[in-house]
Amino acid sequence: MAQHNITGKKGEDLACQFLLSKGYTIRACGWRYLKGEIDIIASKNNYCHFIEVKTRMNNDYGAPHEAVNPQKERLIIDTADAYIQENDIEDEISFDIISIRLRPTLDIEHYIDAFRPEF
């Protein structure tokens, strides 16, 4: 497995642990539809959170969450729509980003409602 895949998997595992410690319920990890994937789908307080996890070793190339561009947001939104339809989700919806930096010390930031669909 390539190093960036190992780093990404480690970040997703850390993000799940983080969410569980904050009282979230994990509904799915790595949920795919067509070309899209949602890293984590979690629930808390009548919200369904669609979460993109970005992990970097350090901030040499910018903060991890800055890598989520409008094209990636659109793909996440489209994939979330398929999940909502397939699972009859009636909760409120939040599109979140969890930004993880592994060095020099572990830093996890959760950006709730980081982006929204444009109508």
Side-chain angles (χ1 to χ4, degrees):
M1 185 182 290
Q3 184 61 45
H4 70 277
N5 291 335
I6 294 168
T7 301
K9 175 69 174 122
K10 181 175 184 173
E12 289 175 18
D13 291 345
L14 287 167
C16 282
Q17 292 170 16
F18 173 83
L19 291 166
L20 290 170
S21 76
K22 301 294 184 186
Y24 287 79
T25 300
I26 306 298
R27 300 179 110 174
C29 293
W31 196 84
R32 294 181 161 278
Y33 178 77
L34 299 177
K35 294 182 180 181
E37 178 183 9
I38 308 245
D39 292 330
I40 302 171
I41 302 170
S43 295
K44 185 177 179 184
N45 298 333
N46 298 317
Y47 272 82
C48 184
H49 296 262
F50 295 93
I51 303 165
E52 175 69 7
V53 179
K54 287 296 181 190
T55 307
R56 300 287 183 266
M57 294 304 286
N58 53 49
N59 283 348
D60 286 355
Y61 299 101
H65 67 277
E66 293 172 350
V68 181
N69 60 33
Q71 180 179 351
K72 181 65 174 175
E73 290 175 6
R74 181 80 250 153
L75 188 57
I76 292 167
I77 290 165
D78 291 346
T79 306
D81 187 52
Y83 182 88
I84 291 164
Q85 300 303 317
E86 186 174 304
N87 294 279
D88 297 320
I89 302 298
E90 295 184 10
D91 292 345
E92 296 291 325
I93 303 300
S94 180
F95 293 98
D96 303 359
I97 301 171
I98 292 183
S99 180
I100 300 174
R101 187 192 66 224
L102 299 174
R103 293 185 190 140
T105 60
L106 177 63
D107 182 44
I108 300 175
E109 294 182 78
H110 185 185
Y111 297 90
I112 298 171
D113 214 18
F115 57 92
R116 296 175 179 234
E118 293 183 21
F119 297 103

